[in-house]
Amino acid sequence: MDIYLGYELYSNVSGLLYIFYILNFTSHTALISVINPSTHTIMNYTSAIPSFLIITHANGTSFTFCLGSQAIPAFKIAGRSILIYSTSGVLLEKVNTNENMTLIYANFPGLTNEQIPNFRELAGEVDLFPINITTILGIVLGLQLFLVLRRVIR
Amino acid sequence: MIEVRRDMAWLSAGFSFLAIIFYQGFDVTLGRTVFANLYEIPLIAISFNVLASVFLALSKGYYIYAIPLSFLSYIFWPEVISVVLFLLAITALRGIPSFARDVLLGIDAFAVTYVILAIVGIRINLLMLPVAVIQVGAPILIPLILLIGIIYGYRSKGIPTGEINLSLAFAIFVTLMVTTLPFTGINSLGRFLFPNQAPYVDWLLSPSLGKFFISRPLYLALLYILGKLVNATILSQWQIPVLSLIFVLSAHKLGNSVRQGMGPLAALLAGVSPTIIALLYSNLEANILSLSFMFLSLSYLLRSETGKAILLSYLSMLSHIFTWTQLEGTLVIFTFVYFLIKRQIPCNLKRYVLLTGPALLFSLILLFTVFSIPIGFSLTSYLNQITLLSWGTVNALLFFTLSVYGLDSSPRMIYAIFTISVLETFVLNAVQNLIIDIPFFIPASLGVLKLDSGLRVPLLLLLVVWGLIMSLNSFPYLYGGVTI
């Protein structure tokens, strides 16, 4: 099952790009689609980050990562590319020599906590179609409206 | 009285449609998040394939070969086989059955309940499931339906004589409701200005004469002047309702040019079309202004007022060059094909093409050199652009089916725009942009007028409610403790 996490606007040398993050739980990859906002087309939808890179037990130089107004305690790992993880182990940014990827999710529960957050929770995994008393009341209302519409609409 | 055999074919069509959904799962947009591949259960898909083939064989004996075909889906390509079965079932259908009205009204009732409760603040997603299944369930059928439309619409029939009572005020009310709901208190988190509205705000804050400006000078100039009067943030939000209003009025004009009195219906369908919904989700402001000018130009061209048509065409070019090139290109090709078939060109069309054609050459050179339009075709990219780009706003199967149904009575110019744009989607890798520029509301209105009178209002209600649902889900909200 793929879950669409979010998107961001990102500028590089060639101009402004949208980046879409789509998580795939079966192949354990995060698909990143790059969208060109002026031609409004998907330019690249194959680049995938393996999920072990997205979420991991991180150690490194600690510093504070600023994301919008949020200050997140984070680690920086400098290798062939610079990786920045939150203390809870979520990849925040990956900087290569000529590219810069920032992971911004639809939701941030548990990002500043100490433990590794639940991956599905991070993606906003919720029961979209629950069957509970509200739903049943809604269905009853819908059925009543159906009977009304049958009479009213000719 | 409906024969039993006829209903069997409908059952078969229904089961194969459900099989397509269960094989791929369906992608639904809730709270500006696309939840992809929901209910992806291949085993159910395969059993529905078998059921569909059995009902198909029961409806007409010679479809018996569908049964071994359906069992093949155990081995390979279940989605292809379910699509083949669906198309077979469609060929077995004879007319629309009496239960269609009740089914449509039932779906309407649930969707209307969803919208009313969502406005109050209670989200019961199950209620929108039936309408979502029809609209976004089978994106794989959209390219097929559009291709079928090219063949179906080829033979021109007269404009239907049906009447429907609608007023322009109602169409405007519905459109403004669709485009302003996200600015009201219903958007309790107050998050609306998304990064995709940013290019225009960014440009306003630091105006420059780059590529962005060259592709849409008129629109940016208008924004610049207005930006001196109004705050940039307010302007970037309220441009959406204003542009939708302009778009709907141009659709009204074009509808009236096609058939006197069809304007309000065309305006209503334009207001809930994928074009307006895509505007809510993506930065297509300049495109919409350009489209509005071009539709006005088309309506003057249909009325043989060539001078106004040429002026508006140039305004459209200055508003957004991509959109204009697509529509202008189709008009030039249409004129050329018209000449090949009839060996003559109507005077107004000749004047229009001669006076705007040179600009097309210029814009084509600009497009393929400076802006580098992506070329190529892959089915994955095609379906991704339908289901994921702009949060799946052009994933509207019912709207396209209705348009294709009315295509054979549309003016040939509209048919040409449809055909050439659809063929372009298989060559250029900008599927969504090409699709939203097609004036689908004209064939869709003609399709509504062609329909049985008992089905018109339920179908229109369904399309309107879908527009409202997409509008209500264009911003994140709290659901089950998390923002979606």
Side-chain angles (χ1 to χ4, degrees):
Chain A
M1 176 172 162
D2 293 341
I3 288 188
Y4 173 86
L5 289 180
Y7 57 88
E8 67 166 318
L9 200 74
Y10 155 71
S11 56
N12 68 358
V13 263
S14 63
L16 282 167
L17 301 171
Y18 285 132
I19 302 186
F20 280 62
Y21 304 104
I22 296 150
L23 258 182
N24 189 320
F25 286 113
T26 19
S27 64
H28 296 284
T29 52
L31 185 79
I32 296 186
S33 301
V34 180
I35 312 279
N36 183 332
S38 66
T39 55
H40 201 247
T41 47
I42 298 182
M43 292 166 64
N44 175 5
Y45 49 93
T46 49
S47 68
I49 297 184
S51 57
F52 69 84
L53 260 183
I54 290 178
I55 203 157
T56 181
H57 289 283
N59 282 307
T61 358
S62 66
F63 83 117
T64 310
F65 182 79
C66 290
L67 188 77
S69 57
Q70 245 184 327
I72 303 162
F75 296 119
K76 187 187 269 181
I77 306 167
R80 208 162 39 172
S81 57
I82 301 166
L83 301 166
I84 298 168
Y85 288 94
S86 75
T87 44
S88 53
V90 182
L91 179 67
L92 298 169
E93 196 168 273
K94 181 175 172 239
V95 186
N96 279 346
T97 40
N98 52 2
E99 57 172 341
N100 182 337
M101 284 176 177
T102 312
L103 287 174
I104 296 180
Y105 297 111
N107 293 287
F108 279 99
L111 200 65
T112 47
N113 291 351
E114 287 302 311
Q115 359 159 288
I116 290 183
N118 182 339
F119 215 25
R120 288 181 175 271
E121 207 174 275
L122 197 69
E125 172 81 340
V126 280
D127 189 0
L128 291 175
F129 305 105
I131 308 242
N132 50 27
I133 188 75
T134 331
T135 313
I136 292 164
L137 279 175
I139 290 172
V140 171
L141 270 176
L143 287 174
Q144 283 185 345
L145 189 63
F146 168 62
L147 295 176
V148 172
L149 285 182
R150 264 188 82 164
R151 290 251 164 164
V152 173
I153 292 179
R154 262 171 294 167
Chain B
M1 191 67 196
I2 300 297
E3 292 167 39
V4 182
R5 280 169 169 255
R6 196 184 285 174
D7 288 355
M8 289 290 187
W10 275 100
L11 267 179
S12 168
F15 273 121
S16 46
F17 188 78
L18 285 178
I20 296 173
I21 293 167
F22 278 112
Y23 185 71
Q24 293 270 299
F26 73 101
D27 308 338
V28 67
T29 305
L30 292 169
R32 218 185 178 87
T33 303
V34 179
F35 289 87
N37 303 60
L38 290 172
Y39 294 113
E40 184 187 342
I41 316 168
L43 203 64
I44 294 187
I46 293 167
S47 22
F48 276 6
N49 265 349
V50 174
L51 272 176
S53 67
V54 168
F55 282 119
L56 197 57
L58 282 176
S59 76
K60 268 212 186 77
Y62 60 76
Y63 284 117
I64 194 99
Y65 61 86
I67 296 179
L69 186 71
S70 74
F71 277 100
L72 270 185
S73 60
Y74 275 103
I75 309 167
F76 57 100
W77 307 330
E79 82 274 35
V80 176
I81 286 168
S82 44
V83 169
V84 169
L85 283 176
F86 180 73
L87 293 179
L88 278 177
I90 294 280
T91 58
L93 298 178
R94 296 280 174 274
I96 294 163
S98 53
F99 61 77
R101 185 181 144 80
D102 281 348
V103 170
L104 276 178
L105 279 178
I107 296 171
D108 282 347
F110 280 118
V112 169
T113 316
Y114 173 86
V115 168
I116 293 170
L117 289 179
I119 288 174
V120 182
I122 308 163
R123 303 265 180 171
I124 306 175
N125 293 331
L126 202 71
L127 295 177
M128 65 163 280
L129 203 57
V131 62
V133 161
I134 291 187
Q135 283 280 38
V136 302
I140 199 165
L141 289 179
I142 288 177
L144 279 176
I145 291 276
L146 295 178
L147 279 178
I148 290 170
I150 295 177
I151 303 161
Y152 176 78
Y154 180 71
R155 188 170 286 253
S156 171
K157 288 186 187 134
I159 285 176
T161 49
E163 284 293 334
I164 189 158
N165 267 335
L166 267 178
S167 72
L168 181 61
F170 177 69
I172 289 175
F173 171 73
V174 168
T175 312
L176 287 183
M177 203 162 155
V178 168
T179 49
T180 52
L181 272 180
F183 305 114
T184 57
I186 300 164
N187 186 354
S188 54
L189 297 174
R191 279 160 61 189
F192 188 75
L193 193 67
F194 283 91
N196 47 331
Q197 262 90 43
Y200 290 96
V201 185
D202 284 352
W203 188 87
L204 261 182
L205 295 176
S206 59
S208 61
L209 296 170
K211 267 189 197 178
F212 192 64
F213 182 79
I214 295 170
S215 60
R216 59 209 85 186
L218 179 65
Y219 186 69
L220 288 181
L222 278 177
L223 264 193
Y224 185 76
I225 297 164
L226 284 172
K228 297 276 171 210
L229 307 170
V230 197
N231 178 313
T233 321
I234 294 172
L235 184 63
S236 64
Q237 287 187 4
W238 286 95
Q239 60 185 344
I240 292 174
V242 173
L243 284 169
S244 71
L245 191 65
I246 297 172
F247 182 73
V248 161
L249 291 176
S250 77
H252 178 257
K253 180 100 181 157
L254 185 55
N256 268 339
S257 304
V258 171
R259 191 195 131 174
Q260 199 53 43
M262 203 181 74
L265 180 59
L268 178 68
L269 283 166
V272 295
S273 66
T275 318
I276 286 294
I277 299 171
L279 169 69
L280 270 181
Y281 284 79
S282 288
N283 58 320
L284 298 167
E285 283 85 350
N287 306 41
I288 298 290
L289 187 70
S290 177
L291 275 179
S292 311
F293 282 137
M294 202 58 198
F295 292 159
L296 283 177
S297 170
L298 272 178
S299 70
Y300 283 120
L301 200 58
L302 285 170
R303 293 174 180 203
S304 302
E305 294 177 41
T306 325
K308 284 179 189 167
I310 291 166
L311 177 72
L312 283 161
S313 179
Y314 275 110
L315 283 179
S316 162
M317 173 186 161
L318 291 174
S319 306
H320 193 263
I321 200 153
F322 298 98
T323 307
W324 179 79
T325 311
Q326 182 195 342
L327 295 179
E328 175 70 20
T330 55
L331 284 180
V332 171
I333 296 172
F334 170 70
T335 315
F336 185 65
V337 173
Y338 193 97
F339 175 72
L340 286 183
I341 294 171
K342 302 237 169 146
R343 293 283 156 192
Q344 56 158 353
I345 308 172
C347 181
N348 61 332
L349 204 58
K350 194 188 209 166
R351 223 175 110 212
Y352 176 85
V353 168
L354 280 179
L355 284 171
T356 53
L360 176 70
L361 209 64
F362 165 73
S363 75
L364 277 176
I365 292 168
L366 200 69
L367 240 104
F368 283 99
T369 54
V370 181
F371 294 105
S372 64
I373 291 291
I375 296 173
F377 174 76
S378 92
L379 190 63
T380 329
S381 163
Y382 200 108
L383 292 180
N384 268 346
Q385 296 214 30
I386 288 179
T387 55
L388 290 176
L389 189 59
S390 288
W391 292 260
T393 37
V394 296
N395 200 353
L397 183 66
L398 193 67
F399 194 81
F400 294 142
T401 313
L402 181 66
S403 310
V404 163
Y405 180 60
L407 205 60
D408 60 349
S409 28
S410 325
R412 293 297 88 187
M413 222 179 267
I414 306 281
Y415 169 73
I417 292 175
F418 174 89
T419 306
I420 296 162
S421 303
V422 166
L423 291 177
E424 275 169 10
T425 60
F426 294 98
V427 184
L428 301 176
N429 205 353
V431 178
Q432 191 181 50
N433 279 48
L434 292 168
I435 287 179
I436 60 169
D437 292 349
I438 304 173
F440 276 114
F441 51 86
I442 294 294
S445 323
L446 292 165
V448 168
L449 295 177
K450 265 173 79 180
L451 268 179
D452 183 70
S453 58
L455 289 173
R456 282 178 201 160
V457 177
L459 194 63
L460 276 180
L461 186 59
L462 206 152
L463 292 173
V464 167
V465 168
W466 179 250
L468 290 173
I469 287 175
M470 284 304 275
S471 163
L472 283 169
N473 281 301
S474 66
F475 48 85
Y477 49 85
L478 278 172
Y479 182 86
V482 288
T483 50
I484 63 167

